[in-house]
């Protein structure tokens, strides 16, 4: 077992619990603006996919790990992430939350977290980028939970500070992506107060 796997399990669980808790604060504002073309419901639906894809992929074992890191996953899926299908899948996922989105999100988390707790991280699953070890794939889902729960919190006007363990893992992935894209310089200068980031800067 990867020595970092227990930390990844905790990061995913803590991020999921933060997402569940944040949905309880929506207080009926599901049709309010969320992120981009999404309303709050669609944003929550998209965020729930960070849980649902883990559940789905655990049911799709792969023979070979073709993608060897979380950063490599984002590199392999960059074109897909920029496509129009992402927005539509978010809307569909939002609709799938049904009449009681808070209860649905809580039920998804209650179903998925025990599945991850029972894994040792060596499982090889079939993702949209190809085969990956669960220990490499799970941090991408934690990252999605952290980023989009922060988006959700901002949309409904509540504090958006994530729990420490998933926040640290998400920031580690940001650093890996910045180095991979030769964007570490602008990022370091921004986070140390030297200058702002260029317009539209993103590591994704």
């Amino acid at each position: 077992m990867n020595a970092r796997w227990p930390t990844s399990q905790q990061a995913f669980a803590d991020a999921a619990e933060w997402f569940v808790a944040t949905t309880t604060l929506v207080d009926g504002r599901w049709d309010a603006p969320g992120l981009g073309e999404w309303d709050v419901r669609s944003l929550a639906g998209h965020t729930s996919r960070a849980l649902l894809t883990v559940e789905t992929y655990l049911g799709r074992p792969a023979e070979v790990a073709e993608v060897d890191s979380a950063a490599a996953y984002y590199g392999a899926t960059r074109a897909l992430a920029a496509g129009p299908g992402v927005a539509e899948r978010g809307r569909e996922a939002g609709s799938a939350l049904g009449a009681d989105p808070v209860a649905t999100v809580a039920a998804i988390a209650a179903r998925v977290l025990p599945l991850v707790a029972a894994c040792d991280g060596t499982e090889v699953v079939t993702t949209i980028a190809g085969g990956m070890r669960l220990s490499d794939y799970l941090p991408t889902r934690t990252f999605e939970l952290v980023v989009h729960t922060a988006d959700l919190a901002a949309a409904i006007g509540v504090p958006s500070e994530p729990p420490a363990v998933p926040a640290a893992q998400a920031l580690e992935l940001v650093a890996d992506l910045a180095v991979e894209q030769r964007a570490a310089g602008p990022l370091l200068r921004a986070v140390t107060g030297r200058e702002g980031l260029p317009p539209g800067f993103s590591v994704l």
Side-chain angles (χ1 to χ4, degrees), residues 60-109:
R60 298 177 184 172
E63 293 185 4
V64 178
E66 302 163 291
V67 182
D68 63 3
S69 71
Y73 171 87
Y74 279 102
T77 60
R78 194 163 286 126
L80 287 172
V86 173
E88 181 57 32
R89 285 191 295 273
R91 286 189 288 268
E92 291 172 354
S95 295
L97 295 180
D100 190 346
V102 173
T104 302
V105 166
I108 292 170

Side-chain angles (χ1 to χ4, degrees), residues 39 44 48 50 55 89 96 104 106 115 122 169 184:
D39 58 15
S48 74
E55 180 180 46
R89 285 191 295 273
T104 302
L115 296 178
T122 63
Q169 189 170 79

